[in-house]
Every structure is written in structure tokens, then in C-alpha cells.
Amino acid sequence: MWNLCSRTNHIYLWMQMNKDSWCIASINEDFSVSPTYPQDFILPTQILKETLTNLNSSSTYSNLSNASIESQPTTSSQSTSESQSGSAFFENLAKFRSRGRFPIICWKKGHNVLMRSGQPMVGFLGSRGLEDETLMREVLSTVDEEHQILAATMISKDARGYAAAFTNGCQGGGYENIENYPQNTTLQFLGLSNIHTIAASHSALLRAIATNASSPNWFSLLKTTGWLDHVADLLRSAGGKEGVVGKLVDDDASVLVHCTDGWDRTTQLVSLAQIMVDPFYRTIKGLQVLIEKEWIAFGHPFRSRSDLPNNLCNNDPRSPSKIKQNSRNFKEPQTLETAPAPVFLLFLTCLHHILEQFPSAFEYNDFFLLCLARAAAGNSPFGDFLCNCECEREAIQLRERTRSIWSWVKERRQWFRNPLYQRIRPYDLIHHNDHSTWSDHSWKKDVLRPDTDARVITLWSDYYFPKKNDLSIALLSMPYCADVELEEGIGPSQHHIGGFPSEYYLVSLFMKRKRRRIAEKWKDDELNQSQETQDKTSIDHANKDLDKSSILSSSQQST
């Protein structure tokens, strides 16, 4: 069963958005504004009011494509006219950004806002997007008013290098002209490689693993693939001093992240940044929300990056006539060129390294990341990672035809718990109505800043060199509810499923053994430390006795 609760509502409540300043606007219900975005967005309330006021020269505003804001009574003709005008504003807003991916809020704490978008379509002649500038101005203005700040700082982080952005500008894209945006807005380039370079690097890595994994010069071959460099670059761009987290925390600024289309490098950066700054996303539930929000709802093209068939409807074993026809009039999904690249895998690899460096900060373990990586690669019966966007999922009725991996995770939650996890004080998790905890900088104490030196960035061995007891693929491939029936009278060491040992039970034994080894290691460390303390004490006593003997001997000789 898919989790059909509103992701946007959940995030709205979680980020403690002030309902007088921010609202959830359903301006994309039929995906006509942006085919690759979700149906709901968090927007400043004022921009919805000003949009209708400016376009209609009216002080009243009404149902803006079912926008979730309070409205005053209006006539039917007024409502239709205002709705059309508001729709025109957002259509123009979407046209100025690549693939219609205009700036949207994905995270907020206090006066620090994290946004994402596609590249601006300024072109070679430097076109302007008045609606885009208005949106950015209203976001900063709302933050200023909400937290009584004179002038909030906004930094636009372009994941591309300057040369790549300039080349895109000659092709109709480009980068922001900060002179047209609010004061204290700056532009910085991160210089991350594009998906084609990442794909070539990963292919070289797979060839090296297949042919030279046992070679004496393995580490030299690994270095030449460049894969670990891409991992380090992404971690540095997300969590470094000059990266996204550095600007949020050290410079106390708001950040807009974008690349070319805003669904590959952008998604990696904002996802890693939120994990580093917000302890909620280090929980099992939090990671589910993050992936559902940033990767699935905001349109990372899983199908195109995984080289899946273009027409998923043809793969349904059932007759099309038996599938319930969708009565809603959705916009036809965009056709994207297939470009296989391990974008999601690179994100999980970076998360794996953060987990290794901060093992007690995460509720989930590395096995959880491994299962997600296997599932996204196609080794599972789940439908979460099959489509490019929400529009495509609605068009083929994916949620009615497949199971979600999250229901499977919920049923086997114990396999994915990290025994070293130390829950951070839950001021963010409990005090949902206490805005003081968000206005101050207390949240910055819990920010993770991973090391990106070459000595700590290594290959994810459990993924590329599976151990004999790695049951991630077997677990993902087992039939639904295959392990619910246990034979009567069977002992704990003899659990069976249809005459065969339950692989879930084997994983249970494996996890228990792992926890036991960790506990034994801690106990050995304590014993060693205790022994070292005793030895040091004995040496100190011996030295004192020796000093006393020397003093007595000296006094006797002098006598």
C-alpha cells in the first residue's frame, strides 16, 4: 500500500511555517504549470494576494487554482477571471526556468531557507523573468517580516561550472543576473560534473571491478576511474565551508540551488544538505520523507536514469481494459531522452560515508541504504523508482498497480535500525508550536560536517563486493507476506517458509551477531582501558617505592 498522505502538509507542519506568512498552494493540480513538479507548493501568502491584486486591479482574491489560502466571497465571474490571471502569472514564472522548474522552498528553519529550481532561461541576450524576480523578492521579504531582519541574504548556488553555465546561456539557458534580484543576492558556481561524466566514471569503475579487482595495482585503477573524486566533490559541495551547508550555517544565509534542469545535481545537493542540518532526516521516517519529497515528488527522472522502457503501460500483464481509467484530465507527461546515470546511487554513496563518519547520529544502518540502492537499481518488485515524475505516475496509475517499498520497510523496520543510534534532544520533534527554537541558532549545534579528505573517501565495498551473508537482494525479491506463516512447534533456529529456512530469520541472526560483536568490542575496549589503568597505577607505585628506596640508600650512605 502506498502512503497517500500529503507530503506537502507534512513538511509544512514539520518546518513550523507561519500560516499567516506561508501557505500551501495547489497551483499545479493538472500538471499544466510544471509537468515535472508536484501538485502542491509552499509559497509566501503575500505573493498570491499581490498576483491577483496586480493583475486584476482588485483588492479581493479568491480560489487560485484551489490554492490553500483564506478567501473573501466573490462572484463566479470574478473568481474565473482572477483564477485565469493567477494561472498566467505562474505559467510565466515556469517558462523562465528550465523544464518549468521555478524556485520552490524545500526546507526552512528560522530565517534560513533552502530552495531549488532549474536554470534561468536568460539566453545569450540576457532575458529577464519578472515573475521569477517577484517570487524571490517575496520569499526574502516574508522572511524579513517574519523574523524582523533588515535584509536577508540569498546565495544562488549553481552546481555547474562557469564555463558550462556560459555554454548553456548560448543555447537559451544560463545563470542569474544578480542585479535584477533583491539586494544581498550573490551567485556562486560549484563546478560539479554533469551526468554524462558521472556515468562514464561509474562504467569505468564497474569494468575495473569485473576485470582487475584482484590486481596488485587495484588502488591505482580505482583512482583512475575518478569515482571517488566525484563522491568527495559532491560531499564538499553539499557540506563544505563553501558549499550549501556552509552558507546556511556559517554565513547565516538562505540558499537557492540549481543545475541545468534542476533534477540531478540539484536533488543530490539539497538532499545531502538537509540530512546534514536536520536530525529528522537521519531517522528512518525522515529519510522516507526526504526521498518522497526531493526525489519522487520533485521529479528526479528515475526511469530515464535507469534506462527503463519508455512506455511502462505496455509492461502491465493485465489487460488495459481491467485497469481503472483515470477520470482526471492531466497534462501529458514530457518525453525525456534516456540518459542512464547513477545519480541516486551517488547520493546514497555520499550518505553511506556520512553514516560511517557519524555512526551514532543515524537511526538507520548501512543495510538500509544498501536495500534502497538495490531497489532503485531494479532488483525489487516495488514501483517507487520506476517513473520520471508525478505526472507520469498518475498517467499510468502506478500507485494502483504497484506496492511501495516504504510499506515493506515498515514491516521489517527492525532490520534497518542502527544499534549505535543516539537520539538527539527532541526539541525539534516535540515543540511544534515553539517558534523560539527555530528563531535562534540552537539547531546549528546538531549540524554534521563530514570530512572529504581522500583518506576517508573509500569505495562502498558492501555494494560493489557483496558478502556471502548479504541478503539485501534476497529480501527485496521475496514474495509479499512470504514469512508470515511459521510451522507449529518449530524452534527459533528452525524457522521455515514453505520447507526452506526463512531468509528474514537469517537476517535476524546476522543482525544479532553484529550487535553482539559490537557489544563484545566495547567490552574488550573497556577491559583493555581498565588493564592499562591498572598497569599505569602499578608502575606509578613501583616508581614511588623505587624513589623511597633511593632516598633511604642515599641517607644511609651520607650517615
Side-chain angles (χ1 to χ4, degrees):
M1 184 180 71
W2 285 76
N3 182 11
L4 298 179
C5 66
S6 173
R7 289 176 293 242
T8 310
N9 275 304
H10 179 90
I11 300 304
Y12 184 85
L13 295 173
W14 171 250
M15 293 190 295
Q16 300 180 359
M17 309 290 275
N18 188 334
K19 65 179 181 180
D20 296 327
S21 303
W22 310 91
C23 68
I24 300 174
S26 302
I27 61 174
N28 196 35
E29 281 202 323
D30 58 354
F31 303 104
S32 60
V33 174
S34 177
T36 63
Y37 264 0
Q39 296 167 306
D40 304 325
F41 309 97
I42 297 175
L43 293 172
T45 304
Q46 188 64 25
I47 197 172
L48 298 179
K49 298 178 182 179
E50 289 186 359
T51 297
L52 296 179
T53 300
N54 294 337
L55 292 175
N56 297 324
S57 301
S58 172
S59 60
T60 59
Y61 60 96
S62 179
N63 181 19
L64 176 59
S65 299
N66 296 325
S68 299
I69 58 175
E70 296 180 359
S71 59
Q72 300 178 5
T74 58
T75 64
S76 176
S77 60
Q78 285 177 326
S79 176
T80 302
S81 174
E82 291 166 0
S83 178
Q84 291 174 350
S85 300
S87 177
F89 173 87
F90 286 104
E91 287 175 0
N92 292 333
L93 174 66
K95 287 178 181 178
F96 185 68
R97 293 280 175 167
S98 176
R99 305 284 186 175
R101 300 174 68 82
F102 56 88
I104 52 175
I105 297 172
C106 54
W107 181 86
K108 178 181 179 294
K109 271 196 178 180
H111 61 270
N112 300 103
V113 179
L114 179 62
M115 304 179 70
R116 60 178 296 172
S117 72
Q119 66 173 337
M121 306 303 289
V122 297
F124 186 74
L125 299 178
S127 302
R128 293 183 62 177
L130 298 180
E131 293 82 4
D132 192 83
E133 297 165 15
T134 300
L135 174 60
M136 298 300 295
R137 184 178 64 251
E138 285 301 332
V139 169
L140 292 183
S141 176
T142 302
V143 170
D144 290 346
E145 294 176 3
E146 190 177 15
H147 299 279
Q148 299 180 353
I149 302 173
L150 293 178
T153 303
M154 172 64 74
I155 299 176
S156 178
K157 283 285 186 182
D158 194 327
R160 304 165 295 178
Y162 173 75
F166 181 81
T167 302
N168 288 142
C170 297
Q171 300 171 354
Y175 52 89
E176 295 88 351
N177 182 357
I178 59 173
E179 294 179 357
N180 300 329
Y181 288 85
Q183 189 180 8
N184 298 331
T185 300
T186 58
L187 173 65
Q188 298 174 359
F189 297 94
L190 294 173
L192 290 176
S193 301
N194 59 31
I195 60 169
H196 308 291
T197 304
I198 297 296
S201 175
H202 193 249
S203 296
L205 173 65
L206 296 180
R207 285 195 300 271
I209 291 173
T211 58
N212 297 290
S214 302
S215 174
N217 59 341
W218 160 250
F219 291 102
S220 298
L221 293 171
L222 178 60
K223 177 66 177 176
T224 58
T225 66
W227 178 251
L228 298 184
D229 294 332
H230 295 310
V231 175
D233 290 343
L234 181 55
L235 279 172
R236 195 177 301 113
S237 297
K241 183 175 179 58
E242 296 300 319
V244 178
V245 174
K247 298 305 175 182
L248 286 170
V249 177
D250 300 333
D251 293 0
D252 203 29
S254 294
V255 179
L256 167 66
V257 181
H258 70 78
C259 51
T260 302
D261 292 320
W263 54 35
D264 289 314
R265 288 166 287 187
T266 299
T267 307
Q268 293 172 331
L269 288 169
V270 297
S271 299
L272 290 172
Q274 289 175 74
I275 290 171
M276 293 179 195
V277 300
D278 199 330
F280 171 66
Y281 295 115
R282 301 171 210 156
T283 64
I284 295 176
K285 178 64 176 178
L287 187 60
Q288 172 188 347
V289 171
L290 183 73
I291 293 176
E292 283 277 328
K293 173 170 66 84
E294 301 297 340
W295 292 86
I296 295 177
F298 286 150
H300 172 68
F302 280 103
R303 177 173 56 77
S304 296
R305 297 294 174 262
S306 301
D307 199 14
L308 292 173
N310 288 330
N311 189 356
L312 295 178
C313 291
N314 291 339
N315 296 335
D316 196 316
R318 298 171 293 177
S319 171
S321 60
K322 296 181 180 180
I323 300 177
K324 180 182 177 181
Q325 295 298 320
N326 198 332
S327 60
R328 304 182 67 178
N329 185 23
F330 290 131
K331 184 180 178 66
E332 191 71 19
Q334 290 183 348
T335 301
L336 301 179
E337 180 183 355
T338 299
V343 178
F344 188 62
L345 176 60
L346 182 57
F347 157 71
L348 290 177
T349 302
C350 291
L351 182 52
H352 156 77
H353 284 288
I354 302 174
L355 194 154
E356 277 197 332
Q357 295 184 34
F358 305 95
S360 63
F362 291 85
E363 182 189 13
Y364 45 85
N365 54 25
D366 199 62
F367 183 67
F368 185 39
L369 304 183
L370 191 62
C371 286
L372 290 177
R374 305 285 192 215
N379 297 308
S380 77
F382 307 111
D384 303 77
F385 309 112
L386 291 181
C387 294
N388 287 337
C389 58
E390 289 289 84
C391 181
E392 189 174 294
R393 292 182 186 91
E394 293 287 349
I396 68 171
Q397 299 178 329
L398 185 76
R399 290 183 173 87
E400 289 80 5
R401 297 163 55 190
T402 64
R403 288 187 71 221
S404 171
I405 192 174
W406 304 117
S407 59
W408 178 83
V409 168
K410 185 177 180 180
E411 294 164 1
R412 283 93 186 165
R413 192 182 181 92
Q414 66 273 20
W415 310 135
F416 310 119
R417 290 187 181 276
N418 176 13
L420 303 179
Y421 177 56
Q422 296 178 1
R423 187 183 182 88
I424 296 176
R425 65 188 187 285
Y427 62 85
D428 284 344
L429 304 176
I430 296 177
H431 304 295
H432 289 290
N433 297 319
D434 184 7
H435 289 271
S436 63
T437 58
W438 297 77
S439 300
D440 61 21
H441 299 284
S442 59
W443 61 272
K444 295 182 180 181
K445 300 176 185 177
D446 301 323
V447 173
L448 305 182
R449 307 296 286 270
D451 190 353
T452 58
D453 289 345
R455 58 184 174 81
V456 297
I457 303 300
T458 58
L459 192 64
W460 190 4
S461 298
D462 287 345
Y463 181 82
Y464 294 102
F465 299 101
K467 298 181 178 64
K468 292 182 179 180
N469 54 7
D470 176 17
L471 298 175
S472 57
I473 297 179
L475 280 171
L476 289 164
S477 302
M478 290 194 70
Y480 176 51
C481 293
D483 61 329
V484 295
E485 296 293 337
L486 296 179
E487 293 183 11
E488 195 170 343
I490 299 295
S493 61
Q494 297 174 301
H495 286 135
H496 279 62
I497 299 175
F500 296 95
S502 166
E503 296 192 9
Y504 291 115
Y505 179 68
L506 295 179
V507 172
S508 166
L509 295 180
F510 171 68
M511 298 302 295
K512 288 180 181 179
R513 184 177 63 181
K514 186 175 181 179
R515 288 194 292 269
R516 185 171 64 251
R517 287 178 176 176
I518 293 173
E520 290 174 353
K521 183 180 179 182
W522 283 357
K523 186 176 180 181
D524 291 341
D525 291 342
E526 292 176 357
L527 290 175
N528 293 335
Q529 187 176 3
S530 176
Q531 185 65 37
E532 289 176 0
T533 304
Q534 292 177 2
D535 293 343
K536 185 177 180 181
T537 304
S538 300
I539 292 173
D540 291 341
H541 287 313
N543 290 335
K544 289 180 181 179
D545 293 340
L546 183 60
D547 292 341
K548 290 180 181 179
S549 300
S550 300
I551 293 172
L552 290 174
S553 177
S554 299
S555 61
Q556 290 175 358
Q557 290 178 1
S558 61
T559 303

